[in-house]
Amino acid sequence: FSFHPVKIITSGEGGAALTNDQALATRLSSLRSHGITRDVSSFEKPNHEAWYYEQLTIGFNYRMNDLEAALGLSQLDSLSSFINRRTKIAEHYSSLLDKKLICPQRITESSRSAWHLYVVRLKATGFEARNQIFRNMRAAGIGVNLHYIPVHLQPFYQKMGFKKDDFPEVEQYYNQCITLPIHPSLGDSEVEYIATTLNDIAA
């Protein structure tokens, strides 16, 4: 799970890994903290002092601090209400957007979404048309964003030989998508302003 600031609950940054495999849990815990253990049963050498620890492998500094963990834990009881509010916002967006101009984000009937993002796909095609709509939305004070730039267009992957037009479907999506604001404190009137503004600009 990611606890990035825009996720459903946040610890400011960081995340969590869950497993029902005890050996994997032990391995993850070790890697999280430089490969170091203070578990006496795991020691390879006899120890005699309370300060003793062993580094059994090369690991990372992936520890979440106590303040971040407390922030994340404080939100767990509100998780259902956060998701319920996000769902209502998504439904409100979908009812307000002009379907002749905009394809709302949707999920299958057998699925349930936490609505981490609400992404629309503009029926107007082309990189520049999308960019102009994006700029106009920002100019109207609406913090739209874009998720995501196709991986194969990033410099790292282009150095590996990937190039534009390798994946035309994802590139077409990229040229048409815009992410609308969605968070539990977004009011109904704000949702209506965002949707109406997008309808007007897209038209």
Side-chain angles (χ1 to χ4, degrees), residues 149-163:
I149 302 171
V151 171
H152 71 285
L153 299 180
Q154 295 289 355
F156 177 83
Y157 290 97
Q158 296 205 319
K159 288 172 188 169
M160 296 173 66
F162 292 98
K163 58 189 181 303

Side-chain angles (χ1 to χ4, degrees), residues 51-145:
W51 47 258
Y52 186 77
Y53 61 86
E54 288 185 353
Q55 183 171 12
L56 301 178
T57 188
I58 297 295
F60 308 91
N61 183 2
Y62 283 170
R63 297 183 304 275
M64 181 186 294
N65 67 51
D66 290 347
L67 287 174
E68 291 171 329
L71 174 62
L73 284 170
S74 73
Q75 297 165 72
L76 277 178
D77 289 341
S78 302
L79 181 58
S80 292
S81 65
F82 289 165
I83 293 173
N84 290 340
R85 177 59 189 154
R86 285 172 176 267
T87 300
K88 284 184 170 41
I89 292 169
E91 290 170 350
H92 203 175
Y93 273 141
S94 296
S95 71
L96 294 168
L97 293 170
D98 186 339
K99 312 302 186 295
K100 297 189 297 295
L101 304 169
I102 301 154
C103 296
Q105 184 171 328
R106 59 187 185 275
I107 60 170
T108 63
E109 288 184 8
S110 60
S111 301
R112 183 170 180 232
S113 176
W115 298 104
H116 158 51
L117 298 173
Y118 188 89
V119 182
V120 299
R121 190 163 178 174
L122 305 167
K123 293 190 177 179
T125 56
F127 187 73
E128 284 308 318
R130 191 280 315 281
N131 290 356
Q132 188 59 53
I133 292 170
F134 182 96
R135 287 191 291 267
N136 289 346
M137 291 290 284
R138 284 280 181 99
I142 299 168
V144 293
N145 213 327

Side-chain angles (χ1 to χ4, degrees), residues 127 130 146-155 157-158 162-164 167-175 177:
F127 187 73
R130 191 280 315 281
L146 200 153
H147 295 88
Y148 290 95
I149 302 171
V151 171
H152 71 285
L153 299 180
Q154 295 289 355
Y157 290 97
Q158 296 205 319
F162 292 98
K163 58 189 181 303
K164 191 175 183 305
F167 302 97
E169 290 295 329
V170 75
E171 290 178 36
Q172 184 178 355
Y173 159 81
Y174 172 56
N175 290 340
C177 70

Side-chain angles (χ1 to χ4, degrees), residues 12-38:
E13 220 1 310
L18 275 61
T19 178
N20 58 3
D21 182 324
Q22 185 56 53
L24 181 55
T26 300
R27 175 77 172 149
L28 289 169
S29 294
S30 173
L31 291 173
R32 176 187 63 189
S33 190
H34 304 293
I36 290 172
T37 184
R38 292 183 183 272

